[in-house]
Amino acid sequence: MKKSLLLFIASILLIGLLSACGTGGQKNGSGEQKKVLKMGTSADYAPFEYIDTAKGNDIIGFDVDLAKMIAKELGYEIQIVDMDFTGLIPALQSGKVDFVLAGMTPTEKRKKSVDFSDVYYVARNMIVSKKGSGIKTVEDLKGKTVGVQTGSIQEGEANKIAKTVDMKIESRNRIPELIQEIQAGRFDAAIIEDTVAKGYLKNSNGKLEGHTMPTSEQEAGSAIAFPKGSKLRDEFNKVLQKKMKNGEVDKLIKKWFDQ
């Protein structure tokens, strides 16, 4: 009898605890429940998104700040989900994440699978190689082994170049892997977005060099990806346009890219 009474009391306490905690996000200052959105990204793409090992492995970067800025305006909280770049679109399609912010270019092929916001940043590609390699132009890649990130716009660009330049293309899931392969001598060069490449050049102690490639016919720029038909696309776009016009996005660009 005593045991049954204790179990009954424990059950009442547990129900009360669960009720107090809530199940769908966090409460704001007015006591209302905040909605939580899952942001998919690939945190190997500094300064867009990367792991800050000095501060408890937090994921930080331009895309993270942009997501938080837009979400705050719309009354959302952001939960970041890190994965390989190739898994981002499938994660959107399966509902594992609500949107993707990962320096992703809105190519025609990707548009068949997901919806995109307006472009929020435009960059160019860079050829990265060991210092003194003599690789400065696309033509210099002839007979070389060139690394690219799997599923990236740079992979598509490399495949396009390979139609006229005889080179071997190797892909890896993460940007640091490309740098490691160059340093180990297994890759002669890699094609990487210039803003990302500059960070690795800066930290290479002069062992790497980079040369910006001419603009190609490929669609340039980065945009936010959403599942097909998601109402979030229009919500995010409205705020994004506002922040681009009032200069807040430019402030983030200066913060992360002018270092």
Side-chain angles (χ1 to χ4, degrees):
M1 186 70 179
K2 185 182 291 185
K3 185 176 181 181
S4 299
L5 180 60
L6 289 173
L7 287 172
F8 176 75
I9 293 172
S11 299
I12 294 298
L13 290 173
L14 180 59
I15 291 171
L17 179 61
L18 290 174
S19 298
C21 291
T23 58
Q26 303 172 4
K27 290 186 177 180
N28 59 23
S30 61
E32 297 175 348
Q33 203 79 11
K34 282 192 176 181
K35 295 168 284 186
V36 178
L37 295 178
K38 291 185 178 180
M39 165 185 158
T41 196
S42 182
D44 63 337
Y45 210 55
F48 288 91
E49 46 269 327
Y50 62 101
I51 297 173
D52 184 7
T53 54
K55 295 182 179 179
N57 293 324
D58 289 342
I59 297 176
I60 61 174
F62 172 62
D63 281 343
V64 176
D65 279 2
L66 181 63
K68 289 180 178 178
M69 182 171 68
I70 295 174
K72 182 179 180 181
E73 180 101 355
L74 294 171
Y76 294 111
E77 293 283 349
I78 297 297
Q79 179 183 339
I80 300 174
V81 182
D82 183 27
M83 64 187 76
D84 287 342
F85 191 82
T86 50
L88 291 172
I89 288 181
L92 274 177
Q93 293 175 314
S94 64
K96 291 181 180 178
V97 297
D98 298 297
F99 68 97
V100 163
L101 248 169
M104 184 176 284
T105 300
T107 63
E108 289 302 322
K109 181 179 179 181
R110 288 173 181 158
K111 287 178 181 178
K112 294 177 182 178
S113 302
V114 298
D115 289 337
F116 282 98
S117 71
D118 294 332
V119 169
Y120 61 84
Y121 184 78
V122 177
R124 298 173 68 182
N125 292 326
M126 180 176 282
I127 299 172
V128 177
S129 62
K130 281 186 177 180
K131 185 75 173 179
S133 68
I135 301 174
K136 298 180 179 181
T137 67
V138 168
E139 289 72 27
D140 294 332
L141 297 175
K142 182 178 180 180
K144 307 297 185 182
T145 299
V146 181
V148 290
Q149 184 179 35
T150 305
S152 67
I153 192 70
Q154 289 75 33
E155 183 178 46
E157 183 70 6
N159 287 324
K160 181 181 176 182
I161 294 170
K163 292 178 180 179
T164 56
V165 177
D166 183 20
M167 65 183 196
K168 182 181 179 182
I169 301 171
E170 291 277 354
S171 61
R172 297 291 185 271
N173 286 328
R174 300 263 178 173
I175 300 296
E177 296 175 51
L178 300 180
I179 301 300
Q180 290 169 7
E181 296 287 21
I182 293 172
Q183 293 172 331
R186 289 185 287 269
F187 288 178
D188 297 296
I191 299 176
I192 303 171
E193 188 169 314
D194 61 351
T195 51
V196 176
K198 287 174 184 176
Y200 288 99
L201 296 179
K202 183 179 179 180
N203 294 323
S204 72
N205 296 319
K207 294 180 181 179
L208 298 175
E209 63 181 18
H211 298 276
T212 303
M213 297 168 61
T215 303
S216 72
E217 295 178 1
Q218 287 267 26
E219 289 183 82
S222 300
I224 310 169
F226 301 90
K228 278 288 186 182
S230 172
K231 67 176 184 178
L232 285 175
R233 196 266 295 268
D234 290 341
E235 291 181 12
F236 269 57
N237 240 359
K238 185 176 181 180
V239 177
L240 177 61
Q241 285 299 322
K242 174 184 174 182
K243 301 297 184 183
M244 291 176 73
K245 288 178 181 178
N246 67 15
E248 290 188 59
V249 173
D250 284 338
K251 289 180 181 178
L252 290 184
I253 290 173
K254 185 174 180 61
K255 171 184 175 181
W256 290 104
F257 299 138
D258 293 353
Q259 298 183 16

